[in-house]
């Protein structure tokens, strides 16, 4: 591996969400602020959506790790569950262990009692669901009914949904209007800009132990930003491949050819940049040629007429 070659202590561009690499860029900081403010209000649903690879799972883990004291978190990383499975998963996360032969009404009653007990002891309970767009329709409705559980002053359960844009599309449907009205706070996680991509790459390399001159020039990080469309997961993939190619050649800095080959080798990377660059170059050459002919006093229509 290239770690020793580049003076790194750990892999800087792993795809595993690692909160140790969390970087306080605007979209992620704003999302965290929305989440933390929403949790303090103690009301209903909170929703964070974003395209695949924009950092929702990392943000989800960061939120869970940084929950203030007094919050009890129930975390469901894979919510592709039937309503019954959802209730059992919530019960398990709340520390309930009962025989599986009890009916769903009894189970709901036990969950409500546990929520009341936790609330009496000063705990605010937060149910966090990652990949929420995978929730079946009837499970979304079951989830809404959970938020009916409340005391006179606050909800017994707050729900935080992390999902892809498909979740927003589903919630626009008429049958989900009640759930939609209970979403008190929402945030759409946008991709990174070029400046943010450049800072993101430099930060991750610094956390991984890199010292000295940058491995990527600003020109190269701009290419990565364009090809990745600002999506952190794709940025990681492209930067990792570029480092591998650089290491394979035995050089100590990433070159343009390494980034180009990394882009061409990555399925979801945008490759239009290379075509547009060639087109711009052709236009520039043609413009220079026309200006040179014009400056020489040659009559262009006469030239083309003679050629004909």
């Amino acid at each position: 591996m290239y770690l020793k070659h580049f003076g790194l202590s750990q892999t800087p561009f792993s795809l595993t969400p690692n909160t140790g690499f969390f970087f306080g860029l605007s979209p992620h900081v704003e999302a965290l602020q929305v989440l933390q403010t929403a949790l303090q209000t103690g009301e209903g649903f909170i929703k964070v959506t974003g395209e695949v690879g924009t950092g929702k799972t990392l943000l989800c883990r960061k939120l869970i790790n940084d929950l203030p004291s007094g919050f009890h978190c129930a975390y469901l990383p894979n919510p592709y569950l039937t309503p019954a499975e959802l209730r059992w998963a919530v019960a398990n996360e709340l520390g309930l262990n009962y025989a599986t032969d009890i009916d769903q009404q009894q189970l709901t009653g036990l969950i409500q009692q546990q929520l009341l007990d936790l609330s009496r002891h000063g705990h605010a309970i937060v149910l966090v669901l990652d990949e929420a767009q995978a929730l079946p329709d009837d499970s979304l409705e079951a989830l809404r009914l959970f938020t009916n559980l409340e005391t006179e002053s606050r909800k017994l359960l707050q729900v935080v949904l992390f999902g892809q844009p498909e979740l927003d599309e589903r919630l626009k449907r008429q049958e989900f209007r009640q759930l939609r009205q209970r979403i008190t706070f929402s945030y759409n996680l946008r991709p990174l800009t070029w400046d943010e991509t450049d800072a993101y790459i430099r930060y991750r390399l610094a956390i991984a132990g890199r010292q000295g001159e940058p491995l990527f020039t600003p020109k190269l990080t701009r290419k990565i930003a364009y090809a990745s469309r600002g999506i952190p997961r794709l940025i990681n993939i492209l930067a990792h491949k570029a480092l591998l190619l650089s290491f394979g050649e035995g050089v100590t800095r990433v070159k343009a050819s390494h980034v180009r080959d990394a882009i061409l080798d990555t399925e979801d990377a945008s490759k239009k940049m290379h075509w547009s660059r060639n087109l711009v170059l052709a236009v520039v050459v043609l413009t220079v040629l026309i200006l040179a002919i014009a400056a020489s006093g040659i009559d262009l229509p006469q030239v083309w007429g003679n050629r004909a």
Side-chain angles (χ1 to χ4, degrees), residues 178-196:
Q178 286 183 300
L179 190 154
R180 189 169 62 244
Q181 290 178 2
R182 296 190 184 194
I183 298 173
T184 53
F185 291 86
S186 63
Y187 188 87
N188 182 49
L189 199 60
R190 64 168 175 80
L192 305 184
T193 65
W194 170 70
D195 288 338
E196 290 167 344

Side-chain angles (χ1 to χ4, degrees), residues 8-149:
L8 303 171
S9 58
Q10 56 182 316
T11 304
F13 300 108
S14 171
L15 297 185
T16 303
N18 182 349
T19 55
F21 281 95
F22 182 83
F23 187 28
L25 293 169
S26 292
H28 300 99
V29 169
E30 288 170 6
L32 269 179
Q33 289 173 342
V34 168
L35 288 165
Q36 290 164 352
T37 300
L39 290 176
Q40 294 297 332
T41 68
E43 292 289 337
F45 282 84
I46 307 156
K47 175 174 63 69
V48 175
T49 53
E51 269 297 343
V52 175
T54 48
K56 297 183 298 297
T57 299
L58 179 62
L59 189 63
C60 177
R61 294 186 181 181
K62 180 69 173 173
L63 173 69
I64 293 170
N65 290 347
D66 294 350
L67 279 176
S69 59
F71 280 87
H72 181 94
C73 179
Y75 175 50
L76 301 183
N78 179 19
Y80 189 67
L81 305 167
T82 66
E85 290 169 338
L86 178 65
R87 293 185 190 96
W88 276 112
V90 172
N92 289 334
E93 285 293 305
L94 294 177
L96 290 170
N97 293 297
Y98 290 93
T100 56
D101 58 353
I102 64 173
D103 62 37
Q104 292 298 300
Q105 186 174 358
Q106 290 175 307
L107 181 59
T108 301
L110 291 171
I111 290 172
Q112 182 173 11
Q113 187 57 52
Q114 180 74 339
L115 291 172
L116 282 168
D117 290 343
L118 288 168
S119 180
R120 289 192 192 101
H121 287 86
H123 293 286
I125 302 89
V126 183
L127 176 61
V128 179
L129 294 94
D130 201 4
E131 303 293 349
Q133 76 283 344
L135 267 171
D137 288 357
D138 50 358
S139 297
L140 271 172
E141 177 60 15
L143 194 61
R144 181 187 70 82
L145 293 175
F146 271 133
T147 61
N148 284 340
L149 307 176

Side-chain angles (χ1 to χ4, degrees), residues 256-277:
S257 60
H258 302 145
V259 172
R260 180 198 63 216
D261 291 345
I263 292 169
L264 294 174
D265 186 60
T266 302
E267 190 74 22
D268 197 36
S270 175
K271 301 173 179 64
K272 293 180 181 179
M273 174 177 61
H274 303 290
W275 291 105
S276 61
R277 182 181 62 185

Side-chain angles (χ1 to χ4, degrees), residues 184-261:
T184 53
F185 291 86
S186 63
Y187 188 87
N188 182 49
L189 199 60
R190 64 168 175 80
L192 305 184
T193 65
W194 170 70
D195 288 338
E196 290 167 344
T197 299
D198 183 68
Y200 175 86
I201 289 174
R202 292 173 184 271
Y203 179 80
R204 291 187 75 100
L205 285 167
I207 292 296
R210 174 67 183 180
Q211 297 179 352
E213 62 179 1
L215 291 176
F216 294 83
T217 65
K219 185 177 180 180
L220 295 182
T221 56
R222 185 183 294 272
K223 290 182 178 181
I224 290 174
Y226 183 96
S228 66
R229 304 182 298 282
I231 296 173
R233 183 181 296 161
L234 282 175
I235 294 170
N236 286 359
I237 291 172
L238 294 174
H240 174 64
K241 286 183 177 180
L243 289 175
L244 282 174
L245 291 165
S246 179
F247 171 66
E249 285 191 7
V251 296
T252 56
R253 295 189 72 187
V254 176
K255 298 189 293 188
S257 60
H258 302 145
V259 172
R260 180 198 63 216
D261 291 345

